Amino acid sequence: MTTSGPAATDRPPLPPGVREGTVVLDRIQLHYLETGPEDGDPVVLVHGNLSTSRFWEHLMPALAERHRVIAPDMRGFGDSQAVPLDATGGLRDWAEDIRTVLEWLDVTRPPHLVGWSTGGAAIAHYAMAHPVASLAFVDPVSPYGYGGTHPDGRPCFDDFAGSGGGGINPAVVEAIEAGDTSADNPFAPRSMFRTFYVAPSYTERPEREDLLVAEILKTSTGPDNYPGDSAASPNWPGFAPGERGILNALSPKYCNWTGILDLDPKPPVLWTHGAADLVIADGSPLEAGVLGAAGQIPGWPGAAVYPQQPMVSQIREVLGRYRAAGGSVRSEMFPESGHAPFLDAADKWLEVYQDFLSRS
């Protein structure tokens, strides 16, 4: 059964000039935010896992001075419908959601795409299927997916054991389903936001943090959405990815965006990364290889069989190949930022992105 946590009824209003709408089709309903002139070059902001379009809203008015800015809620998140996600296509369902919103809004120009975390793989999949003006990756999932790979992207096991929906702590799902807004439960959205989304030094306005926590609580849970289903495995740590839901879509069994290397023409790329990121890192504490090496998952077969996934190094290597193949790549590291530099270093991130847009 798919469930969704409660949404706040007294949430702060949208920023001035930002409006919301919903795509209503027989197959899906997708909520989105929009601002800026209809004839402006489109900029699409794609959120990550356990988040929504409202994570971007503080940036939208400034970007709208010259662009038509659109931020959709992906299926199963925010105020969009909890339509099942086919993990076997990787993030192609999310890419299709982006396309659906743009067609609904009669956007015909190639968009500038921004993808945060999971959204990074989604915009890459979009670019592999449709023309784009530029790609901006914000702490994206590795080009080889999340968990269970050697540095060169080879899977640790043929069944991609250790990745996918079976890797989530059930307490995280329970907290979402219970609508837990506390700061005491380490598995509740507020604690996860403070620990994994932003740098420890970052202090958000209380009402803004309340809003973002309420948005996380809108996540649709279950085998079709978050976290997805799983399969038993004879390999360590005993589970392999299933075929449904977002965490399986992020498994290296299905998620691979190295196809951007074959794009012709190659759109300009911006990669921004928070150096204090604990989610996307060379040694993320959320990844099975790290947990095994630390003794938190018994039976780890050792680094030769199941190393820690060097996610940032994998991103850097693939984007280096993109540059060597003729693409333009700009990299910007944010030394004090966590997983979301557009939140904990918003002014600096906006400055970097607007400069990139002006040159794209």
Side-chain angles (χ1 to χ4, degrees), residues 15 18 35 39 73 76-77 113 143 177 188 198-199 210 301 308:
V18 177
T35 190
D39 61 351
D73 287 341
F77 293 94
L113 298 180
E177 293 179 345
V198 292
D210 288 345
Q308 301 178 16

Side-chain angles (χ1 to χ4, degrees), residues 90-325:
L91 274 295
R92 288 182 178 84
D93 275 354
W94 274 33
E96 180 60 25
D97 290 346
I98 297 168
R99 184 67 175 176
T100 297
V101 172
L102 293 179
E103 288 178 346
W104 179 266
L105 294 172
D106 293 323
V107 174
T108 58
R109 300 181 194 178
H112 297 275
L113 298 180
V114 183
W116 171 42
S117 193
T118 299
I123 67 170
H125 279 300
Y126 185 100
M128 286 183 253
H130 308 286
V132 300
S134 69
L135 295 170
F137 296 105
V138 187
D139 295 66
V141 64
S142 165
Y144 302 110
Y146 202 96
T149 67
H150 291 272
D152 62 2
R154 290 178 296 114
C156 297
F157 295 110
D158 289 344
D159 65 352
F160 300 84
S163 66
I168 191 66
N169 190 316
V172 174
V173 180
E174 292 168 4
I176 293 171
E177 293 179 345
D180 190 343
T181 62
S182 73
D184 301 325
N185 180 355
F187 301 105
R190 192 178 304 275
S191 297
M192 292 195 301
F193 177 83
R194 294 176 178 178
T195 302
F196 293 109
Y197 289 52
V198 292
S201 60
Y202 176 70
T203 303
E204 181 60 281
R205 301 190 313 272
E207 69 277 10
R208 173 74 173 159
E209 182 180 274
D210 288 345
L211 164 67
L212 299 182
V213 168
E215 291 295 299
I216 297 171
L217 286 171
K218 292 179 179 181
T219 299
S220 297
T221 59
D224 285 328
N225 297 107
Y226 180 86
D229 61 349
S230 64
S233 171
N235 301 309
W236 184 88
F239 64 87
E243 297 183 344
R244 296 176 290 157
I246 189 63
L247 293 191
N248 294 311
L250 290 169
S251 163
K253 184 174 183 178
Y254 308 119
C255 180
N256 186 310
W257 52 269
T258 60
I260 66 168
L261 297 171
D262 299 323
L263 293 179
D264 184 19
K266 288 179 167 54
V269 165
L270 171 67
W271 172 36
T272 61
H273 181 76
D277 190 355
L278 297 177
V279 179
I280 304 298
D282 287 357
S284 167
L286 301 177
E287 193 266 319
V290 175
L291 294 170
Q296 296 184 41
I297 302 178
W300 180 56
V305 175
Y306 207 111
Q308 301 178 16
Q309 184 184 8
M311 304 177 193
V312 176
S313 296
Q314 289 174 334
I315 296 168
R316 183 176 292 111
E317 189 271 335
V318 169
L319 292 183
R321 288 160 59 193
Y322 187 89
R323 180 186 290 111

Side-chain angles (χ1 to χ4, degrees), residues 68-84:
R68 184 180 187 182
V69 187
I70 301 160
D73 287 341
M74 298 293 100
R75 64 182 64 196
F77 293 94
D79 295 317
S80 286
Q81 188 177 6
V83 173

